[in-house]
Amino acid sequence: MPLFLPGTLDAVERALEPFAGLDAGTTSRTEEFWDEIRQAFRVSPKFINLENGYCSPQPNVTLGSLQDQVRKINETLSYYMRRQRADENMVVKRQLAQLAGCPVEEIVLTRNTTESMSVVIHGLDLTPGDEAIMTNQDYGSMLEEFRQQSRRRGIKCVEISIPLLPRDDEEIVAAYERAITTKTKILLLTHMINVTGQILPARKICDMAHSHGVEVIIDAAHSFAHLVYDIPDLGGDYFGASLHKWLCTPLGAGILQINRAKIQKIWPLFGETSVPEDDIRKFERIGTQPVWTVAAIPEAIRFHRMIGGQRKEERLRYLQQYWTNRVRDTPRVYLNTPAGRRACGIANFGVKGRSPQEVADLLFDRYHIFTVAIDMEAVKGVRVTPHLYTTIDDLDALVSAVREIAA
Ligand SMILES: Cc1ncc(COP(=O)(O)O)c(C=O)c1O
């Protein structure tokens, strides 16, 4: 009896064949399709996991691939590292580049978004007085990276507020634009804000920033393989994402993309002088790492492609809207996430008169629903993140729990 069922992608693929003709919108509401996808995950029956924003469980096929890779690579370890690893990495990079819609010469495999972003934030030649723009809804580690640069190099971190529920794109673009001065060098842009799920109009913000000569670094931890786009379409200069979130790879996989013309100006975090300064491989001298994680990425990409990026995006948005639409008008409940296409799978709600932690604790202790409390100055609420394996029953349980807590 295999440990993980179904054991192969072929089995999943066969199960999905009857749905081949359905468009993404229809598929997003076709529970029989998602019942098949659910079989590809092994999840604990002990509680309802609606905190898939931290990281994603791997589908069984990817987990199986990881186990195979650990065994296979371990058999010849040093030989693999010396003779095979570089070629295999290149295969993975090519596949990732294809998924990301950019040249492989712009791609670095990293361990996570934090590492990808750090390479850029610490590799920029910033000097005292230079200014960097960020918001109070950006991810804490990125804000810390910039604060460190402030201590070390004397740059100025300009932290702005952006609306939780914007009227339109222009309101957001204008908030960033107001912060730009002649000293601004770089703008940090979180494509999908992790605490609320809001999707920012990346292209418009990047175009505006470029019109002032300001570069943009995009934190795409949550948007990559969650929303459908090619990296160049976002219009940024530097891009970092984690693959263990929505691409569902094993933990410890990330991507850094740097526009070709910008590679030269970023110093690698780890010394590397043997590679030309405009060659992306200068970022690859990072020491020994768990290579099996990288080797399992292709299986995760196959799984993602088999579902289809568009179907995945539509399903995640459908699940989010399913529960938010049912609690939206509940007395004392408020939503911190915009409606419509300004959000996808992630959303955040609060209950007036109760702290986020109280609500998250009640959800877990009383209803066995796992979420996460967000208690920041800019955002107070509970983040809810369903996944492809989430059932409508799970969401109905959430909706009735929220209504009871608010009552
Ligand atoms: C917006 C954002 N950026 C960066 C990160 C960091 O990701 P990682 O821990 O994979 O580096 C996260 C993690 O949740 C995030 O939500």
Side-chain angles (χ1 to χ4, degrees), residues 53-55 111-117 137-142 190-195 219-222 240-245 252-253 346 383:
Y54 192 149
C55 35
R111 287 173 302 179
N112 48 54
T113 310
T114 308
E115 182 176 317
S116 303
M117 303 289 285
Q137 293 180 45
D138 291 321
Y139 192 69
S141 303
M142 302 318 140
T190 306
H191 189 199
M192 182 187 288
I193 294 173
N194 64 306
V195 282
D219 177 345
H222 274 291
S242 299
L243 307 180
H244 48 234
K245 291 191 188 286
I346 302 175
R383 181 178 78 173

PDB file of all heavy atoms in Angstrom, residues 53-55 111-117 137-142 190-195 219-222 240-245 252-253 346 383, ligand 1:
ATOM      1  N   GLY A  53      -1.914  30.420   4.278  1.00  0.00           N
ATOM      2  CA  GLY A  53      -1.112  31.534   3.796  1.00  0.00           C
ATOM      3  C   GLY A  53       0.324  31.460   4.302  1.00  0.00           C
ATOM      4  O   GLY A  53       1.228  32.018   3.683  1.00  0.00           O
ATOM      5  N   TYR A  54       0.518  30.783   5.421  1.00  0.00           N
ATOM      6  CA  TYR A  54       1.890  30.688   5.941  1.00  0.00           C
ATOM      7  C   TYR A  54       2.724  29.884   4.953  1.00  0.00           C
ATOM      8  O   TYR A  54       3.723  30.340   4.418  1.00  0.00           O
ATOM      9  CB  TYR A  54       1.855  30.009   7.311  1.00  0.00           C
ATOM     10  CG  TYR A  54       3.136  30.088   8.109  1.00  0.00           C
ATOM     11  CD1 TYR A  54       3.088  30.117   9.505  1.00  0.00           C
ATOM     12  CD2 TYR A  54       4.379  30.125   7.492  1.00  0.00           C
ATOM     13  CE1 TYR A  54       4.247  30.190  10.256  1.00  0.00           C
ATOM     14  CE2 TYR A  54       5.540  30.193   8.247  1.00  0.00           C
ATOM     15  CZ  TYR A  54       5.475  30.215   9.626  1.00  0.00           C
ATOM     16  OH  TYR A  54       6.614  30.278  10.359  1.00  0.00           O
ATOM     17  N   CYS A  55       2.294  28.647   4.729  1.00  0.00           N
ATOM     18  CA  CYS A  55       2.901  27.846   3.671  1.00  0.00           C
ATOM     19  C   CYS A  55       1.900  26.773   3.275  1.00  0.00           C
ATOM     20  O   CYS A  55       0.936  26.529   3.992  1.00  0.00           O
ATOM     21  CB  CYS A  55       4.233  27.245   4.080  1.00  0.00           C
ATOM     22  SG  CYS A  55       4.341  26.761   5.780  1.00  0.00           S
ATOM     23  N   ARG A 111      16.000  30.192  -1.315  1.00  0.00           N
ATOM     24  CA  ARG A 111      15.266  29.359  -0.350  1.00  0.00           C
ATOM     25  C   ARG A 111      13.880  29.917  -0.040  1.00  0.00           C
ATOM     26  O   ARG A 111      13.035  29.190   0.463  1.00  0.00           O
ATOM     27  CB  ARG A 111      16.067  29.219   0.942  1.00  0.00           C
ATOM     28  CG  ARG A 111      17.275  28.297   0.782  1.00  0.00           C
ATOM     29  CD  ARG A 111      18.118  28.318   2.000  1.00  0.00           C
ATOM     30  NE  ARG A 111      18.560  29.686   2.286  1.00  0.00           N
ATOM     31  CZ  ARG A 111      19.308  30.012   3.317  1.00  0.00           C
ATOM     32  NH1 ARG A 111      19.692  29.092   4.173  1.00  0.00           N
ATOM     33  NH2 ARG A 111      19.675  31.268   3.517  1.00  0.00           N
ATOM     34  N   ASN A 112      13.671  31.187  -0.295  1.00  0.00           N
ATOM     35  CA  ASN A 112      12.375  31.792   0.045  1.00  0.00           C
ATOM     36  C   ASN A 112      12.350  33.262  -0.385  1.00  0.00           C
ATOM     37  O   ASN A 112      13.364  33.800  -0.836  1.00  0.00           O
ATOM     38  CB  ASN A 112      12.103  31.685   1.555  1.00  0.00           C
ATOM     39  CG  ASN A 112      13.306  32.124   2.369  1.00  0.00           C
ATOM     40  OD1 ASN A 112      13.812  33.208   2.175  1.00  0.00           O
ATOM     41  ND2 ASN A 112      13.770  31.251   3.258  1.00  0.00           N
ATOM     42  N   THR A 113      11.213  33.886  -0.185  1.00  0.00           N
ATOM     43  CA  THR A 113      11.077  35.306  -0.549  1.00  0.00           C
ATOM     44  C   THR A 113      12.049  36.166   0.255  1.00  0.00           C
ATOM     45  O   THR A 113      12.639  37.111  -0.278  1.00  0.00           O
ATOM     46  CB  THR A 113       9.646  35.806  -0.227  1.00  0.00           C
ATOM     47  OG1 THR A 113       8.705  34.904  -0.785  1.00  0.00           O
ATOM     48  CG2 THR A 113       9.401  37.190  -0.784  1.00  0.00           C
ATOM     49  N   THR A 114      12.172  35.846   1.529  1.00  0.00           N
ATOM     50  CA  THR A 114      13.024  36.664   2.396  1.00  0.00           C
ATOM     51  C   THR A 114      14.443  36.730   1.824  1.00  0.00           C
ATOM     52  O   THR A 114      15.057  37.801   1.752  1.00  0.00           O
ATOM     53  CB  THR A 114      13.050  36.072   3.826  1.00  0.00           C
ATOM     54  OG1 THR A 114      11.703  35.880   4.256  1.00  0.00           O
ATOM     55  CG2 THR A 114      13.769  36.968   4.792  1.00  0.00           C
ATOM     56  N   GLU A 115      14.941  35.570   1.410  1.00  0.00           N
ATOM     57  CA  GLU A 115      16.294  35.550   0.856  1.00  0.00           C
ATOM     58  C   GLU A 115      16.349  36.319  -0.470  1.00  0.00           C
ATOM     59  O   GLU A 115      17.272  37.118  -0.697  1.00  0.00           O
ATOM     60  CB  GLU A 115      16.719  34.092   0.642  1.00  0.00           C
ATOM     61  CG  GLU A 115      18.128  33.937   0.122  1.00  0.00           C
ATOM     62  CD  GLU A 115      18.528  32.457   0.033  1.00  0.00           C
ATOM     63  OE1 GLU A 115      18.236  31.687   0.967  1.00  0.00           O
ATOM     64  OE2 GLU A 115      19.121  32.089  -0.985  1.00  0.00           O
ATOM     65  N   SER A 116      15.349  36.101  -1.312  1.00  0.00           N
ATOM     66  CA  SER A 116      15.345  36.786  -2.614  1.00  0.00           C
ATOM     67  C   SER A 116      15.366  38.301  -2.420  1.00  0.00           C
ATOM     68  O   SER A 116      16.136  39.022  -3.071  1.00  0.00           O
ATOM     69  CB  SER A 116      14.096  36.411  -3.409  1.00  0.00           C
ATOM     70  OG  SER A 116      14.005  35.024  -3.575  1.00  0.00           O
ATOM     71  N   MET A 117      14.506  38.770  -1.530  1.00  0.00           N
ATOM     72  CA  MET A 117      14.403  40.213  -1.307  1.00  0.00           C
ATOM     73  C   MET A 117      15.672  40.753  -0.649  1.00  0.00           C
ATOM     74  O   MET A 117      16.135  41.854  -0.964  1.00  0.00           O
ATOM     75  CB  MET A 117      13.194  40.529  -0.430  1.00  0.00           C
ATOM     76  CG  MET A 117      11.872  40.026  -0.964  1.00  0.00           C
ATOM     77  SD  MET A 117      11.268  40.899  -2.418  1.00  0.00           S
ATOM     78  CE  MET A 117      10.717  42.427  -1.688  1.00  0.00           C
ATOM     79  N   GLN A 137       1.761  48.065   5.621  1.00  0.00           N
ATOM     80  CA  GLN A 137       1.140  46.751   5.416  1.00  0.00           C
ATOM     81  C   GLN A 137       2.100  45.773   4.754  1.00  0.00           C
ATOM     82  O   GLN A 137       1.720  44.653   4.422  1.00  0.00           O
ATOM     83  CB  GLN A 137      -0.124  46.887   4.563  1.00  0.00           C
ATOM     84  CG  GLN A 137      -1.241  47.636   5.258  1.00  0.00           C
ATOM     85  CD  GLN A 137      -2.473  47.748   4.366  1.00  0.00           C
ATOM     86  OE1 GLN A 137      -2.908  46.801   3.727  1.00  0.00           O
ATOM     87  NE2 GLN A 137      -3.044  48.935   4.317  1.00  0.00           N
ATOM     88  N   ASP A 138       3.344  46.222   4.508  1.00  0.00           N
ATOM     89  CA  ASP A 138       4.323  45.310   3.916  1.00  0.00           C
ATOM     90  C   ASP A 138       4.747  44.284   4.957  1.00  0.00           C
ATOM     91  O   ASP A 138       4.557  44.465   6.164  1.00  0.00           O
ATOM     92  CB  ASP A 138       5.538  46.089   3.401  1.00  0.00           C
ATOM     93  CG  ASP A 138       5.204  46.940   2.183  1.00  0.00           C
ATOM     94  OD1 ASP A 138       4.426  46.467   1.336  1.00  0.00           O
ATOM     95  OD2 ASP A 138       5.703  48.080   2.088  1.00  0.00           O
ATOM     96  N   TYR A 139       5.366  43.225   4.466  1.00  0.00           N
ATOM     97  CA  TYR A 139       5.758  42.120   5.350  1.00  0.00           C
ATOM     98  C   TYR A 139       6.865  42.572   6.300  1.00  0.00           C
ATOM     99  O   TYR A 139       7.820  43.240   5.894  1.00  0.00           O
ATOM    100  CB  TYR A 139       6.233  40.956   4.483  1.00  0.00           C
ATOM    101  CG  TYR A 139       6.403  39.670   5.233  1.00  0.00           C
ATOM    102  CD1 TYR A 139       5.302  38.981   5.742  1.00  0.00           C
ATOM    103  CD2 TYR A 139       7.659  39.127   5.429  1.00  0.00           C
ATOM    104  CE1 TYR A 139       5.458  37.791   6.432  1.00  0.00           C
ATOM    105  CE2 TYR A 139       7.824  37.931   6.113  1.00  0.00           C
ATOM    106  CZ  TYR A 139       6.709  37.266   6.609  1.00  0.00           C
ATOM    107  OH  TYR A 139       6.875  36.089   7.289  1.00  0.00           O
ATOM    108  N   GLY A 140       6.721  42.173   7.566  1.00  0.00           N
ATOM    109  CA  GLY A 140       7.638  42.638   8.601  1.00  0.00           C
ATOM    110  C   GLY A 140       9.106  42.435   8.271  1.00  0.00           C
ATOM    111  O   GLY A 140       9.939  43.331   8.499  1.00  0.00           O
ATOM    112  N   SER A 141       9.459  41.292   7.710  1.00  0.00           N
ATOM    113  CA  SER A 141      10.884  41.025   7.443  1.00  0.00           C
ATOM    114  C   SER A 141      11.444  42.005   6.420  1.00  0.00           C
ATOM    115  O   SER A 141      12.611  42.393   6.496  1.00  0.00           O
ATOM    116  CB  SER A 141      11.088  39.609   6.915  1.00  0.00           C
ATOM    117  OG  SER A 141      10.568  38.693   7.817  1.00  0.00           O
ATOM    118  N   MET A 142      10.613  42.388   5.451  1.00  0.00           N
ATOM    119  CA  MET A 142      11.107  43.326   4.437  1.00  0.00           C
ATOM    120  C   MET A 142      11.324  44.700   5.057  1.00  0.00           C
ATOM    121  O   MET A 142      12.294  45.389   4.755  1.00  0.00           O
ATOM    122  CB  MET A 142      10.125  43.443   3.268  1.00  0.00           C
ATOM    123  CG  MET A 142       9.817  42.154   2.582  1.00  0.00           C
ATOM    124  SD  MET A 142      11.265  41.142   2.354  1.00  0.00           S
ATOM    125  CE  MET A 142      10.598  39.544   2.716  1.00  0.00           C
ATOM    126  N   THR A 190       4.457  45.252  -2.253  1.00  0.00           N
ATOM    127  CA  THR A 190       3.931  43.911  -1.983  1.00  0.00           C
ATOM    128  C   THR A 190       2.770  43.681  -2.936  1.00  0.00           C
ATOM    129  O   THR A 190       1.771  44.398  -2.884  1.00  0.00           O
ATOM    130  CB  THR A 190       3.448  43.796  -0.518  1.00  0.00           C
ATOM    131  OG1 THR A 190       4.515  44.195   0.334  1.00  0.00           O
ATOM    132  CG2 THR A 190       3.049  42.380  -0.183  1.00  0.00           C
ATOM    133  N   HIS A 191       2.935  42.703  -3.815  1.00  0.00           N
ATOM    134  CA  HIS A 191       1.929  42.512  -4.871  1.00  0.00           C
ATOM    135  C   HIS A 191       0.594  42.083  -4.272  1.00  0.00           C
ATOM    136  O   HIS A 191      -0.442  42.659  -4.593  1.00  0.00           O
ATOM    137  CB  HIS A 191       2.441  41.467  -5.874  1.00  0.00           C
ATOM    138  CG  HIS A 191       1.610  41.354  -7.101  1.00  0.00           C
ATOM    139  ND1 HIS A 191       1.643  40.263  -7.919  1.00  0.00           N
ATOM    140  CD2 HIS A 191       0.703  42.201  -7.654  1.00  0.00           C
ATOM    141  CE1 HIS A 191       0.786  40.449  -8.922  1.00  0.00           C
ATOM    142  NE2 HIS A 191       0.217  41.606  -8.782  1.00  0.00           N
ATOM    143  N   MET A 192       0.630  41.061  -3.407  1.00  0.00           N
ATOM    144  CA  MET A 192      -0.590  40.672  -2.686  1.00  0.00           C
ATOM    145  C   MET A 192      -0.271  40.801  -1.202  1.00  0.00           C
ATOM    146  O   MET A 192       0.592  40.086  -0.688  1.00  0.00           O
ATOM    147  CB  MET A 192      -0.980  39.229  -3.021  1.00  0.00           C
ATOM    148  CG  MET A 192      -2.261  38.788  -2.337  1.00  0.00           C
ATOM    149  SD  MET A 192      -2.613  37.026  -2.586  1.00  0.00           S
ATOM    150  CE  MET A 192      -3.095  36.991  -4.300  1.00  0.00           C
ATOM    151  N   ILE A 193      -0.958  41.713  -0.552  1.00  0.00           N
ATOM    152  CA  ILE A 193      -0.634  41.976   0.856  1.00  0.00           C
ATOM    153  C   ILE A 193      -1.028  40.765   1.694  1.00  0.00           C
ATOM    154  O   ILE A 193      -2.175  40.317   1.643  1.00  0.00           O
ATOM    155  CB  ILE A 193      -1.334  43.266   1.325  1.00  0.00           C
ATOM    156  CG1 ILE A 193      -0.737  44.439   0.548  1.00  0.00           C
ATOM    157  CG2 ILE A 193      -1.183  43.457   2.827  1.00  0.00           C
ATOM    158  CD1 ILE A 193      -1.395  45.754   0.758  1.00  0.00           C
ATOM    159  N   ASN A 194      -0.066  40.253   2.438  1.00  0.00           N
ATOM    160  CA  ASN A 194      -0.306  38.959   3.080  1.00  0.00           C
ATOM    161  C   ASN A 194      -1.368  39.005   4.162  1.00  0.00           C
ATOM    162  O   ASN A 194      -2.090  38.047   4.371  1.00  0.00           O
ATOM    163  CB  ASN A 194       0.998  38.395   3.650  1.00  0.00           C
ATOM    164  CG  ASN A 194       1.568  39.243   4.760  1.00  0.00           C
ATOM    165  OD1 ASN A 194       1.772  40.436   4.582  1.00  0.00           O
ATOM    166  ND2 ASN A 194       1.802  38.644   5.913  1.00  0.00           N
ATOM    167  N   VAL A 195      -1.487  40.139   4.867  1.00  0.00           N
ATOM    168  CA  VAL A 195      -2.413  40.173   6.000  1.00  0.00           C
ATOM    169  C   VAL A 195      -3.865  40.415   5.597  1.00  0.00           C
ATOM    170  O   VAL A 195      -4.785  40.077   6.334  1.00  0.00           O
ATOM    171  CB  VAL A 195      -1.967  41.220   7.048  1.00  0.00           C
ATOM    172  CG1 VAL A 195      -0.836  40.665   7.877  1.00  0.00           C
ATOM    173  CG2 VAL A 195      -1.603  42.535   6.399  1.00  0.00           C
ATOM    174  N   ASP A 219       7.597  42.256  -3.842  1.00  0.00           N
ATOM    175  CA  ASP A 219       7.460  41.105  -2.950  1.00  0.00           C
ATOM    176  C   ASP A 219       6.225  40.344  -3.414  1.00  0.00           C
ATOM    177  O   ASP A 219       5.091  40.748  -3.161  1.00  0.00           O
ATOM    178  CB  ASP A 219       7.294  41.611  -1.507  1.00  0.00           C
ATOM    179  CG  ASP A 219       7.074  40.476  -0.513  1.00  0.00           C
ATOM    180  OD1 ASP A 219       6.776  39.353  -0.955  1.00  0.00           O
ATOM    181  OD2 ASP A 219       7.188  40.734   0.701  1.00  0.00           O
ATOM    182  N   ALA A 220       6.483  39.235  -4.101  1.00  0.00           N
ATOM    183  CA  ALA A 220       5.373  38.471  -4.686  1.00  0.00           C
ATOM    184  C   ALA A 220       5.181  37.152  -3.951  1.00  0.00           C
ATOM    185  O   ALA A 220       4.732  36.160  -4.538  1.00  0.00           O
ATOM    186  CB  ALA A 220       5.645  38.230  -6.166  1.00  0.00           C
ATOM    187  N   ALA A 221       5.509  37.144  -2.657  1.00  0.00           N
ATOM    188  CA  ALA A 221       5.428  35.905  -1.873  1.00  0.00           C
ATOM    189  C   ALA A 221       4.085  35.211  -2.077  1.00  0.00           C
ATOM    190  O   ALA A 221       4.008  34.001  -2.200  1.00  0.00           O
ATOM    191  CB  ALA A 221       5.634  36.215  -0.394  1.00  0.00           C
ATOM    192  N   HIS A 222       3.013  36.009  -2.098  1.00  0.00           N
ATOM    193  CA  HIS A 222       1.684  35.397  -2.166  1.00  0.00           C
ATOM    194  C   HIS A 222       1.055  35.410  -3.541  1.00  0.00           C
ATOM    195  O   HIS A 222       0.044  34.733  -3.748  1.00  0.00           O
ATOM    196  CB  HIS A 222       0.734  36.082  -1.178  1.00  0.00           C
ATOM    197  CG  HIS A 222       0.834  35.468   0.168  1.00  0.00           C
ATOM    198  ND1 HIS A 222       0.396  34.194   0.429  1.00  0.00           N
ATOM    199  CD2 HIS A 222       1.381  35.915   1.318  1.00  0.00           C
ATOM    200  CE1 HIS A 222       0.646  33.893   1.683  1.00  0.00           C
ATOM    201  NE2 HIS A 222       1.252  34.919   2.245  1.00  0.00           N
ATOM    202  N   GLY A 240      10.791  38.922  -5.948  1.00  0.00           N
ATOM    203  CA  GLY A 240      11.075  37.751  -5.113  1.00  0.00           C
ATOM    204  C   GLY A 240       9.791  37.037  -4.737  1.00  0.00           C
ATOM    205  O   GLY A 240       8.764  37.681  -4.501  1.00  0.00           O
ATOM    206  N   ALA A 241       9.843  35.708  -4.697  1.00  0.00           N
ATOM    207  CA  ALA A 241       8.660  34.942  -4.278  1.00  0.00           C
ATOM    208  C   ALA A 241       9.095  33.628  -3.641  1.00  0.00           C
ATOM    209  O   ALA A 241      10.225  33.162  -3.846  1.00  0.00           O
ATOM    210  CB  ALA A 241       7.739  34.669  -5.466  1.00  0.00           C
ATOM    211  N   SER A 242       8.187  33.071  -2.871  1.00  0.00           N
ATOM    212  CA  SER A 242       8.409  31.746  -2.281  1.00  0.00           C
ATOM    213  C   SER A 242       7.659  30.725  -3.116  1.00  0.00           C
ATOM    214  O   SER A 242       6.523  30.975  -3.512  1.00  0.00           O
ATOM    215  CB  SER A 242       7.866  31.704  -0.851  1.00  0.00           C
ATOM    216  OG  SER A 242       8.527  32.641  -0.052  1.00  0.00           O
ATOM    217  N   LEU A 243       8.273  29.585  -3.343  1.00  0.00           N
ATOM    218  CA  LEU A 243       7.591  28.546  -4.115  1.00  0.00           C
ATOM    219  C   LEU A 243       6.830  27.606  -3.191  1.00  0.00           C
ATOM    220  O   LEU A 243       5.952  26.871  -3.626  1.00  0.00           O
ATOM    221  CB  LEU A 243       8.604  27.770  -4.964  1.00  0.00           C
ATOM    222  CG  LEU A 243       9.490  28.654  -5.859  1.00  0.00           C
ATOM    223  CD1 LEU A 243      10.463  27.800  -6.664  1.00  0.00           C
ATOM    224  CD2 LEU A 243       8.635  29.511  -6.795  1.00  0.00           C
ATOM    225  N   HIS A 244       7.197  27.648  -1.881  1.00  0.00           N
ATOM    226  CA  HIS A 244       6.500  26.755  -0.932  1.00  0.00           C
ATOM    227  C   HIS A 244       5.168  27.348  -0.477  1.00  0.00           C
ATOM    228  O   HIS A 244       4.519  26.804   0.407  1.00  0.00           O
ATOM    229  CB  HIS A 244       7.385  26.425   0.271  1.00  0.00           C
ATOM    230  CG  HIS A 244       8.040  27.615   0.894  1.00  0.00           C
ATOM    231  ND1 HIS A 244       9.386  27.701   1.103  1.00  0.00           N
ATOM    232  CD2 HIS A 244       7.548  28.801   1.329  1.00  0.00           C
ATOM    233  CE1 HIS A 244       9.686  28.861   1.650  1.00  0.00           C
ATOM    234  NE2 HIS A 244       8.579  29.541   1.804  1.00  0.00           N
ATOM    235  N   LYS A 245       4.796  28.486  -1.030  1.00  0.00           N
ATOM    236  CA  LYS A 245       3.444  28.968  -0.741  1.00  0.00           C
ATOM    237  C   LYS A 245       2.525  28.404  -1.835  1.00  0.00           C
ATOM    238  O   LYS A 245       2.142  27.262  -1.764  1.00  0.00           O
ATOM    239  CB  LYS A 245       3.422  30.492  -0.653  1.00  0.00           C
ATOM    240  CG  LYS A 245       4.184  30.989   0.601  1.00  0.00           C
ATOM    241  CD  LYS A 245       3.941  32.445   0.849  1.00  0.00           C
ATOM    242  CE  LYS A 245       4.819  33.002   1.951  1.00  0.00           C
ATOM    243  NZ  LYS A 245       4.417  32.576   3.296  1.00  0.00           N
ATOM    244  N   GLY A 252      11.308  25.626   1.640  1.00  0.00           N
ATOM    245  CA  GLY A 252      12.677  26.060   1.379  1.00  0.00           C
ATOM    246  C   GLY A 252      12.980  26.282  -0.089  1.00  0.00           C
ATOM    247  O   GLY A 252      14.103  26.041  -0.532  1.00  0.00           O
ATOM    248  N   ALA A 253      11.979  26.747  -0.853  1.00  0.00           N
ATOM    249  CA  ALA A 253      12.222  27.025  -2.276  1.00  0.00           C
ATOM    250  C   ALA A 253      11.695  28.417  -2.613  1.00  0.00           C
ATOM    251  O   ALA A 253      10.559  28.761  -2.278  1.00  0.00           O
ATOM    252  CB  ALA A 253      11.540  25.976  -3.151  1.00  0.00           C
ATOM    253  N   ILE A 346      -6.983  34.997  -0.267  1.00  0.00           N
ATOM    254  CA  ILE A 346      -6.793  35.438   1.119  1.00  0.00           C
ATOM    255  C   ILE A 346      -7.788  36.543   1.466  1.00  0.00           C
ATOM    256  O   ILE A 346      -8.004  37.449   0.661  1.00  0.00           O
ATOM    257  CB  ILE A 346      -5.364  35.999   1.308  1.00  0.00           C
ATOM    258  CG1 ILE A 346      -4.325  34.937   0.950  1.00  0.00           C
ATOM    259  CG2 ILE A 346      -5.157  36.521   2.721  1.00  0.00           C
ATOM    260  CD1 ILE A 346      -2.886  35.456   0.993  1.00  0.00           C
ATOM    261  N   ARG A 383      -6.970  36.515   9.632  1.00  0.00           N
ATOM    262  CA  ARG A 383      -6.736  36.149   8.237  1.00  0.00           C
ATOM    263  C   ARG A 383      -7.229  34.732   7.993  1.00  0.00           C
ATOM    264  O   ARG A 383      -6.915  33.820   8.759  1.00  0.00           O
ATOM    265  CB  ARG A 383      -5.249  36.239   7.898  1.00  0.00           C
ATOM    266  CG  ARG A 383      -4.991  35.873   6.444  1.00  0.00           C
ATOM    267  CD  ARG A 383      -3.540  36.013   6.088  1.00  0.00           C
ATOM    268  NE  ARG A 383      -2.757  34.889   6.579  1.00  0.00           N
ATOM    269  CZ  ARG A 383      -1.477  34.694   6.282  1.00  0.00           C
ATOM    270  NH1 ARG A 383      -0.849  35.554   5.505  1.00  0.00           N
ATOM    271  NH2 ARG A 383      -0.812  33.668   6.756  1.00  0.00           N
TER     272      ARG A 383
HETATM  273  C1  LIG B   1       4.259  39.336   1.737  1.00  0.00           C
HETATM  274  C2  LIG B   1       5.263  38.342   2.259  1.00  0.00           C
HETATM  275  N1  LIG B   1       6.553  38.535   1.989  1.00  0.00           N
HETATM  276  C3  LIG B   1       7.495  37.689   2.417  1.00  0.00           C
HETATM  277  C4  LIG B   1       7.174  36.585   3.152  1.00  0.00           C
HETATM  278  C5  LIG B   1       8.250  35.682   3.627  1.00  0.00           C
HETATM  279  O1  LIG B   1       8.171  34.449   3.007  1.00  0.00           O
HETATM  280  P1  LIG B   1       9.262  33.366   3.366  1.00  0.00           P
HETATM  281  O2  LIG B   1       9.131  33.105   4.825  1.00  0.00           O
HETATM  282  O3  LIG B   1       8.894  32.196   2.543  1.00  0.00           O
HETATM  283  O4  LIG B   1      10.579  33.958   3.045  1.00  0.00           O
HETATM  284  C6  LIG B   1       5.848  36.324   3.462  1.00  0.00           C
HETATM  285  C7  LIG B   1       5.476  35.168   4.259  1.00  0.00           C
HETATM  286  O5  LIG B   1       4.351  34.925   4.596  1.00  0.00           O
HETATM  287  C8  LIG B   1       4.870  37.233   2.996  1.00  0.00           C
HETATM  288  O6  LIG B   1       3.583  37.041   3.266  1.00  0.00           O
END
